[in-house]
Amino acid sequence: MPTHDHPLRYAMVNELHARPFPSLEVPSTAVYVAIKEPEQAQNRDRAKDLAHLLALLDRHGSAHPQPGATHFQGPVGRAELKWESHTEFVTYTAFSPGVSVRPFDSAEAEVLPEDWLAAAPGKRLTSVLIRVEPMPASDDDLLARLDEWFVPESLAVARVVDGAAAVAGDFRIDPAGHMRFAVFVAPGTGPRRVGRIVQRLCEIETYRAMSMLGLMRSRELSARLNALDPKLSALVSSLDDAEPAPEAALHQLLTISAELESLAVQFSFRFGATAAYEAIVNQRIEVLREMRIQGRQTFGEFMMRRYDPAMRTVKSAESRLKAMAERAERAAELLRTRVDVERSAQNQRLLESMDRRADLALRLQHTVEGLSVVAISYYAVSLGGYLLKPAAHALHIGPEALLAGLVPVVVLGVWLMVRRIRNRLH
């Protein structure tokens, strides 16, 4: 029976195996660089990233990746290159056998040439040198090396992965522009486990740097919110005053709300990405399964003291933006309520005025009806007098008596006719 696979089935499975961990012998050196566009990196032209990779491969006559590839691994000279394209950045990692005589010699980074890096379609986000050595005979020897290589007050060091290795770093940038990490491997640790540990260190530094971008943006956001907050507070406080007029207050509130909405659109992606990167950093540290060495601070403790406050600042700025947007929305509701109440009062006054006018019109109508009865009766009596004069003369009735007798009859008849017409109309 023929099967009908989903068109993306194999692509989805292959993605699980697309980025294998490196396999590293001891001793060895890893040079790692992450490159990011300063603005709108998620919408960058990824073809430029691939072209930049090809320029490096062509220098060494290495094979090219497939068109549209998002990852690649292959030799560049005596080093093994690993390239990955991520949502906002690309990474280059070069693994070389052996270590330099002078620890963390900047010459080790020349596997990724400076002139080639300068032509990158983006800026260097982080650059790391990782030195992989055998484990020293004692913890005292290990710590002596670390105190010589790193800044003691910033040093983080721990045994990781059930004692398979010890990792250390001070998260400082050296004069050559690189961050340094050391990995001391215990005897019997396999090359793939060493590669996983080195990969974790690269990921911790990369995602730490990416999440710290949120801190820089949150400071920019806080400055703008500091300018808007007094305006919004003053506007809310004046809602129960006669001034400003509701229309003017509503215009000011709409201006503030529009700016807050614009800020939410500008910063929502960065805040969401920061939260995701922070989670990755914490997860990568957790899987290292750190064990303390002679009371020295671990990576987790370093992050708790230096990194977590920065992430709390980002979350605070995000919460403040959301709270101000909600305040503006509530103020708009209050202002709309005030406008509705004032309009209801205006409508009530208008209805009362219309009632008074209708009452006045009714009185005027009654007056006009009375005058109409008199006027119609006057003409009716005159006509009736002319009509009945011959009969009155034959009956020896004088003109004055005839008119006097006609007046009450005519007036009553006209009044009844007008009343009947009015009742029919109503």
Side-chain angles (χ1 to χ4, degrees):
M1 186 178 190
T3 59
H4 301 283
D5 289 330
H6 189 281
L8 298 178
R9 179 190 175 197
Y10 287 95
M12 292 187 292
V13 173
N14 291 337
E15 187 65 24
L16 297 176
H17 310 284
R19 296 174 174 86
F21 289 106
S23 179
L24 297 182
E25 299 292 341
V26 181
S28 61
T29 301
V31 179
Y32 176 84
V33 173
I35 298 173
K36 178 186 178 298
E37 290 276 7
E39 301 291 339
Q40 295 294 319
Q42 67 275 16
N43 298 322
R44 69 187 185 279
D45 184 359
R46 298 173 188 270
K48 294 181 179 179
D49 296 335
L50 195 57
H52 189 233
L53 169 65
L54 298 182
L56 177 62
L57 296 177
D58 289 342
R59 291 190 180 201
H60 299 276
S62 301
H64 288 188
Q66 295 292 327
T70 58
H71 53 86
F72 170 78
Q73 188 165 341
V76 285
R78 61 188 295 270
E80 183 75 11
L81 178 70
K82 182 178 181 181
W83 172 82
E84 295 181 351
S85 176
H86 298 265
T87 302
E88 292 192 82
F89 57 91
V90 294
T91 61
Y92 293 85
T93 314
F95 305 100
S96 304
V99 293
S100 59
V101 176
R102 183 165 67 95
F104 303 105
D105 192 335
S106 59
E108 294 175 328
E110 292 177 0
V111 64
L112 301 176
E114 280 293 331
D115 62 324
W116 171 80
L117 284 173
K123 302 298 181 181
R124 182 172 62 177
L125 177 71
T126 186
S127 177
V128 180
L129 292 180
I130 301 178
R131 185 179 178 91
V132 182
E133 291 188 0
M135 182 76 73
S138 67
D139 288 348
D140 291 336
D141 292 341
L142 183 148
L143 294 176
R145 293 191 195 182
L146 297 181
D147 290 338
E148 180 183 350
W149 295 349
F150 300 105
V151 178
E153 61 268 20
S154 301
L155 177 62
V157 56
R159 296 190 190 280
V160 296
V161 196
D162 305 322
V167 297
D170 58 5
F171 292 93
R172 292 180 179 269
I173 300 175
D174 67 13
H178 309 296
M179 194 169 286
R180 301 173 173 184
F181 290 103
V183 178
F184 298 97
V185 182
T189 303
R192 292 198 175 277
R193 173 167 278 194
V194 176
R196 286 197 296 270
I197 293 171
V198 170
Q199 183 71 32
R200 295 305 185 205
L201 291 176
C202 295
E203 291 172 349
I204 288 171
E205 168 53 21
T206 301
Y207 291 114
R208 179 209 60 80
M210 288 298 300
S211 57
M212 293 293 283
L213 292 176
L215 176 63
M216 304 298 108
R217 296 299 305 276
S218 69
R219 289 175 177 172
E220 175 189 345
L221 174 63
S222 295
R224 298 177 70 174
L225 293 181
N226 290 339
L228 286 175
D229 202 0
K231 297 179 182 178
L232 181 58
S233 298
L235 187 60
V236 172
S237 300
S238 65
L239 287 180
D240 57 348
D241 299 334
E243 296 293 336
E247 292 77 8
L250 185 59
H251 177 72
Q252 296 175 20
L253 186 58
L254 287 176
T255 302
I256 294 174
S257 298
E259 186 164 356
L260 288 173
E261 188 64 27
S262 175
L263 291 175
V265 171
Q266 293 177 39
F267 289 88
S268 60
F269 176 83
R270 178 49 51 204
F271 287 153
T274 296
Y277 294 141
E278 179 194 8
I280 294 174
V281 170
N282 293 330
Q283 191 269 343
R284 295 298 189 267
I285 293 177
E286 182 180 353
V287 299
L288 287 177
R289 303 195 296 279
E290 295 182 288
M291 295 183 294
R292 192 185 305 278
I293 299 178
Q294 292 190 8
R296 299 297 185 98
Q297 73 173 345
T298 63
F299 278 67
E301 289 174 333
F302 178 90
M303 291 297 178
M304 181 180 65
R305 294 180 57 247
R306 312 288 182 91
Y307 174 73
D308 288 353
M311 295 300 98
R312 285 195 291 272
T313 301
V314 175
K315 294 172 185 175
S316 174
E318 183 179 12
S319 299
R320 185 183 179 193
L321 175 59
K322 186 181 298 184
M324 285 187 65
E326 291 174 353
R327 283 173 56 198
E329 185 176 353
R330 289 195 298 269
E333 290 292 336
L334 290 173
L335 190 55
R336 280 193 289 268
T337 302
R338 175 183 169 185
V339 171
D340 291 342
V341 169
E342 292 190 0
R343 285 181 178 175
S344 297
Q346 291 176 356
N347 292 338
Q348 184 65 30
R349 290 193 294 269
L350 180 60
L351 290 174
E352 292 174 356
S353 175
M354 292 176 63
D355 287 342
R356 288 194 298 270
R357 291 179 182 178
D359 184 60
L360 182 60
L362 182 60
R363 289 193 221 172
L364 182 60
Q365 179 183 351
H366 289 165
T367 302
V368 170
E369 286 178 358
L371 295 175
S372 299
V373 169
V374 172
I376 294 171
S377 299
Y378 173 78
Y379 288 109
V381 168
S382 298
L383 291 175
Y386 285 116
L387 181 63
L388 297 176
K389 268 186 180 182
H393 181 72
L395 297 173
H396 303 288
I397 300 174
E400 293 80 2
L402 175 64
L403 294 175
L406 284 175
V407 168
V409 176
V410 171
V411 169
L412 179 61
V414 171
W415 180 77
L416 291 173
M417 179 187 67
V418 171
R419 184 177 180 184
R420 184 178 180 185
I421 293 172
R422 186 182 64 188
N423 290 339
R424 182 175 293 177
L425 289 176
H426 288 287

